[in-house]
Amino acid sequence: MGTHRTFIATYIMASGRNGTLYAGSTSNLESRVWKHRTRAFPGFTDAYDCTRLVWFEQHALMLDAIRRERRIKK
């Protein structure tokens, strides 16, 4: 089994200074950031070049992470 550190997090990716921001939630931050950086899936972050992790916050429950993401997006 791998040694990946996984935890539930709310995070923000950015395209660059004063650029576009993307907020999301995940249960595996390391994997999700890698997917953004390699543009593994087409979509918002691929179109707007949001490949830099600029902030994250750890949560005990996924529900808490999703609530925090929604507050950030408002």
Side-chain angles (χ1 to χ4, degrees), residues 13-16 19-22 36-37 39 43-52:
M13 302 291 292
S15 62
T20 304
L21 298 176
Y22 172 84
H36 285 296
R37 286 188 178 165
R39 299 177 175 170
F44 182 87
T45 58
D46 180 41
Y48 290 93
D49 196 32
C50 295
T51 58
R52 298 174 183 167

Side-chain angles (χ1 to χ4, degrees), residues 29-59:
L29 184 61
E30 182 179 350
S31 173
R32 184 62 60 90
V33 169
W34 179 84
K35 289 175 184 175
H36 285 296
R37 286 188 178 165
T38 61
R39 299 177 175 170
F41 301 104
F44 182 87
T45 58
D46 180 41
Y48 290 93
D49 196 32
C50 295
T51 58
R52 298 174 183 167
L53 179 67
V54 294
W55 176 87
F56 72 91
E57 179 176 273
Q58 188 173 355
H59 298 277

